[in-house]
Amino acid sequence: MTFEEIYRQEWGQVVATLIRLTGNWELAEECAQEAFAAALQRWPNDGVPDRPGAWLTTTARNRAIDWLRREAVGAQKLQEVAAMTYDSEPPYDVPDDRLRLMFTCCHPALAMEARVALTLRTLAGLSTTEIARAFLVPETTMSKRLTRAKQKIQHAGIPYRVPPAHLLPERTPAVLAVLYLLFNEGYSDVVRSNLTGEAIRLARLLVQLMPDEPEAAGLLALMLLHDARRDTRLATDGALVTLDEQDRTQWDHTQITEGVDLLDAALRRGEPGPYQVQAAIAACHATARTAADTDWPQIAALYAQLPQTPVVALNRAVAIGMADGPAVGLRLVEDLAAGPLNGYHLLPATRADFLRRLNRHPEAATAYREALTLATTDAERLYLEKRLADSLI
């Protein structure tokens, strides 16, 4: 296991344990950072411990003890921190460490975006840059939001603990949002693909924990339907392969069946929500025998049922363009150009694709160049470079 993998796996546990015992968010993150820095310095010579999480927690705990002594905190608090170990989590109704962390971070006193951002930071160790990209906001904006949220937790004395079972539903929407963004972070970047598996695992646990929550089942269905295509999404050279060009015989059809069954069961409850609608869109793609069989009018209609965020508006424009022709899609995409998607690489990439379909190749090449400057992964850049080269022929 690489150091980065250990970081992604253990960061959330170390930070959460320190926050629970010290009640100080900033101290917990600082001590965790010092522990990982010490590991980076010592492990190349000493070797990775058999239980790296225990080593990191103990090192971070010792840093916290030193700080608390300097600040002359009470003897009882010092004893609590000194007694802490990697395995000292108390029992809870939530049956998994990381799922407990999500419900703990998603306190209803915080704004929804703050809950989700803090959980991504604490649980997965995502950087402020990565979280800002997920929310389509500048890094400075997200940094201020995270700082304000931490200050509110500390100044208001919000307890860092898992709520009792009857209070879990009020935190469920934020937990679902965290799982959704966690999955997307891994799905959009092959280097972070481990996050997709972790998101699916946690979503399965959530469905078991809350079997009467249709949106939890809808989210799991959405993940499974997308993940069923994972082995066909990249070409041998690492370039992205678009949906219409993927080898559908290589999709995981057992997983597709599971996703469709989950979605059908959720929809029968008569409480459709955004994750169920998105899963229905994914099911339209996953169950089409060929790209030409895709029911684009149905997909466009489903997008119209979702909250019309800028990204949803772009996806709906694509669906309408596929159903009614590239000229119609291009007009809709160009209407979005002056909005909040300015600087989002998929906007010029989509515009370029419609221009290519209209045989307006010089304009398409210009749009592909713009998308290239904004793309965030190597797979996307390789794909856009190929499209650009085709437009120049």
Side-chain angles (χ1 to χ4, degrees):
M1 185 180 294
T2 66
F3 185 83
E4 182 178 356
E5 290 170 337
I6 293 172
Y7 172 81
R8 298 296 184 191
Q9 180 173 310
E10 301 293 348
W11 168 265
Q13 182 67 57
V14 175
V15 172
T17 306
L18 287 169
I19 293 173
R20 175 169 55 84
L21 289 172
T22 66
N24 188 317
W25 201 293
E26 298 289 350
L27 174 63
E29 286 197 337
E30 183 177 334
C31 291
Q33 288 169 357
E34 291 179 4
F36 279 94
L40 193 59
Q41 184 177 31
R42 293 178 55 179
W43 289 357
N45 294 325
D46 299 347
V48 177
D50 291 336
R51 302 178 69 206
W55 189 100
L56 290 161
T57 301
T58 301
T59 303
R61 178 198 63 186
N62 292 339
R63 300 289 198 278
I65 290 172
D66 290 343
W67 186 90
L68 292 169
R69 282 175 176 158
R70 288 197 303 271
E71 296 298 312
V73 300
Q76 181 178 352
K77 175 61 72 175
L78 273 173
Q79 289 175 359
E80 289 175 356
V81 177
M84 177 189 71
T85 68
Y86 182 68
D87 301 313
S88 63
E89 284 281 344
Y92 292 116
D93 293 323
V94 181
D96 180 85
D97 284 348
R98 297 207 177 255
L99 203 54
R100 290 204 299 268
L101 295 181
M102 287 186 181
F103 278 104
T104 299
C105 291
C106 292
H107 197 285
L110 300 175
M112 177 66 82
E113 280 196 357
R115 294 183 228 171
V116 175
L118 276 177
T119 309
L120 288 171
R121 182 78 181 92
T122 304
L123 174 74
L126 266 63
S127 68
T128 303
T129 301
E130 292 168 330
I131 298 171
R133 185 172 68 237
F135 280 94
L136 298 180
V137 299
E139 183 178 350
T140 53
T141 300
M142 182 53 66
S143 179
K144 290 176 183 177
R145 288 180 187 174
L146 287 167
T147 299
R148 285 195 298 267
K150 292 175 186 177
Q151 289 173 344
K152 182 171 184 177
I153 287 174
Q154 193 157 346
H155 294 160
I158 294 173
Y160 188 82
R161 62 171 179 260
V162 178
H166 71 279
L167 293 180
L168 293 182
E170 67 181 354
R171 303 194 183 192
T172 300
V175 172
L176 292 173
V178 169
L179 288 173
Y180 179 71
L181 290 174
L182 199 64
F183 178 86
N184 284 347
E185 185 66 26
Y187 194 72
S188 63
D189 187 352
V190 67
V191 177
R192 308 290 299 281
S193 60
N194 64 302
L195 293 179
T196 63
E198 179 67 359
I200 290 172
R201 185 185 71 83
L202 292 170
R204 286 190 186 279
L205 288 171
L206 187 61
V207 169
Q208 294 171 16
L209 177 68
M210 308 180 79
D212 295 327
E213 174 49 66
E215 277 290 78
L219 178 58
L220 176 57
L222 173 63
M223 291 179 180
L224 291 173
L225 290 166
H226 280 306
D227 187 63
R229 300 188 287 107
R230 65 184 180 277
D231 292 337
T232 64
R233 294 182 66 239
L234 295 180
T236 54
D237 62 357
L240 186 70
V241 179
T242 54
L243 186 60
D244 60 318
E245 296 179 338
Q246 291 174 12
D247 181 356
R248 296 176 183 234
T249 65
Q250 298 302 310
W251 289 358
D252 188 335
H253 293 280
T254 300
Q255 193 162 296
I256 290 171
T257 299
E258 181 186 2
V260 170
D261 289 346
L262 272 167
L263 174 61
D264 289 343
L267 291 173
R268 281 196 294 271
R269 300 185 68 86
E271 303 172 31
Y275 295 115
Q276 294 169 74
V277 173
Q278 290 181 70
I281 293 170
C284 285
H285 288 297
T287 57
R289 289 182 60 255
T290 66
D293 293 331
T294 304
D295 190 346
W296 287 109
Q298 174 68 11
I299 291 172
L302 287 167
Y303 272 121
Q305 296 180 28
L306 292 170
Q308 292 302 295
T309 65
V311 173
V312 168
L314 178 61
N315 289 335
R316 182 166 177 260
V318 171
I320 292 173
M322 296 301 293
D324 297 339
V328 177
L330 180 61
R331 285 197 297 272
L332 293 173
V333 169
E334 288 180 337
D335 289 342
L336 299 171
L341 289 180
N342 185 31
Y344 181 50
H345 72 285
L346 290 181
L347 181 65
T350 302
R351 183 172 181 273
D353 187 63
F354 281 137
L355 288 166
R356 178 181 62 84
R357 292 171 186 270
L358 291 167
N359 294 319
R360 293 163 60 176
H361 297 294
E363 294 170 88
T366 299
Y368 280 129
R369 288 191 186 96
E370 181 184 353
L372 261 170
T373 65
L374 300 171
T376 58
T377 69
D378 290 339
E380 290 169 331
R381 280 187 283 270
L382 284 168
Y383 164 76
L384 291 168
E385 286 169 356
K386 288 182 177 181
R387 286 297 196 199
L388 175 58
D390 292 341
S391 297
L392 296 174
I393 295 175

